[in-house]
Amino acid sequence: MYDFVVIGSGVSGGRIAYELQKGGARCLLLEAGPAFDRTSFPKDELAYTTEMFWGGGVEVTRDGSIGLMRGRCLGGTSVVNQADLSRFDHYALDDWRDRTGIDFLSVDGLTPEYDALDAEVIASEIPEEFWGRNARLWTSAMDRLGYGWQKILRAQSDCRWDKGSDCIVCLGGCPRDSKQSTLVAQIPAAVRLGLEVECDWTAEAIEDRGDSVAVHGVQHGRSVEARGRHAVLACGSLGNVRLLALSGFDAELPALGKGFACHPQFMTFGVFDDPVDAHKGPFQSVESHDPRLREAGIKIENVFGPPIAVAMLLEGWGREHLQQMKLYRHLSCLEVAVRDENSGVIRVSRNGRVVVEKSLTAQDSARRRHGMDLAADLHHAAGAKRVIFSDTVFGLHLMGGCAIGTDPQTSVVGPDFTVHGHPNLFAADSSIFPSAPGQNPSYTIMALSRMAAREMLQR
């Protein structure tokens, strides 16, 4: 029997497995997806989208209005994200403390955890000499209109832009191991300490036996079971809610599945006469950093997408769409992300499928209009001859559904990171977020997971 069975290998699961194994525990790490590495990542956009994401690339809300994306591979979403290491500010954490009454959910409470991670995580900003034209156009427009911006601190090392590396390929896994995902930074280190890893292992139910926990699942078409003294739920919002609901915990956890948020993101493109080549080099270098935008619940980043993704975002059909795609090299791109209300609900159907009920609220829609208007102004200030607005809405940061709190009626996980009434079950990933922060969540997931691992080891 293991001391801990960790279900999910992403930002939280990979970190917790490492911390526990380093602390002397015997751990098993389970991952529903396949194991890739820098030598075996799928080589093109179609292949990695279908092989490394749940739903073959995208899952949609019940009304089809929002596409949800989450990684499904060893290392989880940490393998396919852009490794932004934002610290949450008082706008996010004051709200969390007010909602939960938990003192450590504050800037003062989390700063020691962030500082400790700073000393460990390999990270850097992208030097201006390697910025692409998309970043230069955007920052000049922000300066012209009087808005603040900053470089993005990312978990990365030796990206080799001077050798012509293009970061856009890292959306399907970094072929240089430059991105410090859990696949690169934590899981191998934990394996050297004795961690056992099983991939293609889908958890279907969890059984709390009091003195131990049994995890039931399917691997390569066969029923399998893993047993530990404790279990760690690190499957993200959709995965954790699904597993707890299928295991019958929804009857005793009235808040299960409630309070889902996803930072809806809206893409805008500026059309230029000369090539922008936003797909070349590091395509996400800078982001907005302005108190007016934070108060408005808006974040703007310079980003881009590979051809299939951009084809999904551009307007028109047939010949009209073909003409739009011919502009690919001439497009600048700004992403508007909204700090949405945590109004969504995650349910599980009778056949075990996750159903997400989530659409834009009136406040979300108002923030979208504000952000899109500003993005248009920025494109024009940068010299774009016209602006293209995409109607497609994506949610990339999936949060909530197992909110942390002190009241079992309104939360699922307590301040000690255990599921209410089940001291053998832990969770510290983004599913425990009590509301949307409006900032990239990875660094705070790491911080909370680090805190939770200490709590687990003390047990």
Side-chain angles (χ1 to χ4, degrees):
M1 182 186 298
Y2 297 94
D3 294 317
F4 294 90
V5 177
V6 182
I7 310 167
S9 64
V11 177
S12 180
R15 163 66 55 178
I16 288 176
Y18 166 72
E19 297 287 353
L20 293 175
Q21 198 72 40
K22 184 175 65 171
R26 181 170 180 253
C27 302
L28 171 66
L29 180 64
L30 303 177
E31 169 55 49
F36 295 105
D37 61 27
R38 65 182 181 84
T39 67
S40 62
F41 288 130
K43 300 303 181 184
D44 60 75
E45 183 186 0
L46 180 61
Y48 74 64
T49 301
T50 55
E51 295 179 39
M52 298 179 69
F53 288 83
W54 285 91
V58 66
E59 301 163 283
V60 296
T61 55
R62 185 177 182 181
D63 64 4
S65 63
I66 302 175
L68 307 174
M69 299 183 70
R70 52 180 179 141
R72 184 179 180 273
C73 57
L74 186 63
T77 303
S78 75
V79 175
V80 296
N81 67 14
Q82 279 296 294
D84 186 318
L85 299 181
S86 300
R87 294 187 179 205
F88 285 1
D89 57 21
H90 71 89
Y91 290 103
L93 293 175
D94 287 354
D95 179 55
W96 281 16
R97 184 175 53 193
D98 291 344
R99 288 174 182 267
T100 66
I102 299 174
D103 288 339
F104 68 74
L105 296 179
S106 63
V107 172
D108 289 342
L110 288 182
T111 291
E113 304 300 330
Y114 290 137
D115 289 346
L117 288 168
D118 283 350
E120 173 191 341
V121 177
I122 298 172
S124 62
E125 298 172 346
I126 297 171
E128 191 168 346
E129 63 183 291
F130 296 118
W131 289 5
R133 190 180 176 207
N134 194 34
R136 297 182 189 280
L137 289 169
W138 182 76
T139 52
S140 66
M142 290 286 278
D143 290 341
R144 192 169 295 123
L145 297 185
Y147 287 96
W149 55 272
Q150 66 181 5
K151 296 178 183 177
I152 300 174
L153 181 67
R154 305 199 311 183
Q156 61 190 17
S157 173
D158 191 23
C159 291
R160 304 179 194 174
W161 300 299
D162 59 329
K163 304 297 184 183
S165 296
D166 297 326
C167 284
I168 206 160
V169 303
C170 289
L171 296 174
C174 180
R176 293 169 288 276
D177 278 352
S178 299
K179 185 190 301 180
Q180 299 299 294
S181 63
T182 60
L183 177 67
V184 171
Q186 282 81 46
I187 294 174
V191 168
R192 290 192 291 271
L193 294 171
L195 173 70
E196 297 182 36
V197 179
E198 292 286 346
C199 293
D200 298 299
W201 206 112
T202 303
E204 295 290 347
I206 190 164
E207 182 184 356
D208 186 355
R209 297 175 176 174
D211 60 345
S212 65
V213 176
V215 184
H216 305 280
V218 177
Q219 185 182 41
H220 306 307
R222 297 184 298 106
S223 296
V224 287
E225 178 182 298
R227 291 187 61 194
R229 293 182 175 85
H230 313 276
V232 180
L233 307 177
C235 314
S237 293
L238 275 58
N240 284 351
V241 171
R242 177 181 183 273
L243 184 55
L244 288 171
L246 289 178
S247 306
F249 288 84
D250 49 341
E252 58 183 287
L253 297 170
L256 184 65
K258 297 179 179 178
F260 174 72
C262 64
H263 287 161
Q265 304 187 23
F266 315 96
M267 307 301 286
T268 67
F269 299 93
V271 182
F272 287 79
D273 290 326
D274 298 323
V276 177
D277 286 336
H279 62 293
K280 302 296 292 181
F283 73 99
Q284 191 173 19
S285 310
V286 288
E287 61 188 358
S288 61
H289 184 66
D290 192 297
R292 293 168 295 176
L293 298 183
R294 278 297 283 153
E295 291 172 4
I298 296 167
K299 183 181 180 184
I300 297 181
E301 297 177 339
N302 80 299
V303 297
F304 204 59
I308 293 175
V310 172
M312 293 175 61
L313 296 168
L314 291 180
E315 59 192 15
W317 300 91
R319 187 180 300 276
E320 180 185 1
H321 187 270
L322 176 61
Q323 295 305 312
Q324 298 291 328
M325 284 302 295
K326 287 182 177 180
L327 299 171
Y328 185 81
R329 293 188 57 208
H330 294 256
L331 298 176
S332 67
C333 182
L334 295 179
E335 173 191 85
V336 176
V338 165
R339 183 184 181 191
D340 57 325
E341 295 186 273
N342 54 318
S343 58
V345 178
I346 305 169
R347 306 187 192 280
V348 180
S349 67
R350 290 181 179 178
N351 64 0
R353 294 180 63 87
V354 174
V355 178
V356 180
E357 298 179 359
K358 168 74 173 175
S359 55
L360 300 183
T361 66
Q363 176 179 284
D364 299 340
S365 297
R367 290 178 173 180
R368 175 187 186 179
R369 289 191 297 271
H370 183 178
M372 298 289 262
D373 288 344
L374 176 57
D377 291 341
L378 290 166
H379 282 302
H380 288 305
K385 62 182 182 181
R386 68 184 178 95
V387 179
I388 299 173
F389 300 98
S390 174
D391 291 331
T392 304
V393 184
F394 284 107
L396 303 183
H397 306 147
L398 312 186
M399 305 165 287
C402 297
I404 191 170
T406 57
D407 184 355
Q409 294 300 308
T410 58
S411 62
V412 173
V413 172
D416 59 355
F417 300 100
T418 63
V419 174
H420 290 307
H422 296 273
N424 291 332
L425 303 181
F426 292 84
D429 62 9
S430 60
S431 72
I432 74 171
F433 284 15
S435 66
Q439 295 176 283
N440 289 64
S442 289
Y443 218 32
T444 300
I445 297 171
M446 292 184 204
L448 294 173
S449 296
R450 192 172 179 275
M451 296 175 72
R454 286 201 304 272
E455 180 73 26
M456 297 175 202
L457 289 169
Q458 289 172 5
R459 297 294 180 94

